[in-house]
Amino acid sequence: QVQLVESGGGLVQPGGSLRLSCAASGSIFSISAMGWYRQAPGKERELVAVITSGGGTNYADSVKGRFTISRDNAKNTVYLEMNSLKPEDSAVYYCNFRTSRFGKNNDYWGQGTQVTVSS
């Protein structure tokens, strides 16, 4: 059974940095994309960043230039480097792995890690 284990969240002051990691345990194949989503209280979950198997990336406008997503295929791990953090970045961050086989997509989710940006 595949599980995604996240780490790296915490409390940081405005302008600070954090690095989130998400590693898959168990056998997982045909990963087509890895991504990070976030959900703040009272808001819907939103896409933060995604990286495809080919290395292409996409970011939410609100984090462009501040966040960087990367992946280590050998380790089935995805990272999110977050710089110049703002209070509005505070949320629970979830990683997502999407697999694509025989025309069918499957989504796996991490348990979430809290990021709080506050002075």
Side-chain angles (χ1 to χ4, degrees):
Q1 184 175 357
V2 175
Q3 286 188 322
L4 303 187
V5 180
E6 301 162 355
S7 61
L11 173 65
V12 64
Q13 291 186 341
S17 298
L18 282 175
R19 188 190 195 213
L20 305 183
S21 300
C22 174
S25 63
S27 298
I28 185 169
F29 304 99
S30 304
I31 300 173
S32 58
M34 300 176 177
W36 289 93
Y37 292 71
R38 67 187 180 187
Q39 187 167 17
K43 295 187 177 181
E44 293 187 354
R45 189 174 297 190
E46 64 175 355
L47 174 69
V48 176
V50 63
I51 183 166
T52 68
S53 58
T57 58
N58 191 34
Y59 295 90
D61 287 343
S62 60
V63 307
K64 283 180 180 177
R66 300 187 298 121
F67 291 10
T68 303
I69 189 170
S70 61
R71 61 190 287 173
D72 184 332
N73 291 332
K75 296 181 179 179
N76 281 337
T77 300
V78 65
Y79 306 95
L80 185 68
E81 185 75 33
M82 304 185 293
N83 298 314
S84 302
L85 282 161
K86 305 175 181 180
E88 51 264 43
D89 294 318
S90 297
V92 178
Y93 283 69
Y94 299 90
C95 65
N96 166 267
F97 284 19
R98 169 162 288 188
T99 62
S100 302
R101 299 187 72 186
F102 309 116
K104 181 180 178 182
N105 294 328
N106 283 311
D107 284 307
Y108 299 87
W109 292 92
Q111 78 284 359
T113 185
Q114 178 71 48
V115 171
T116 302
V117 184
S118 176
S119 55

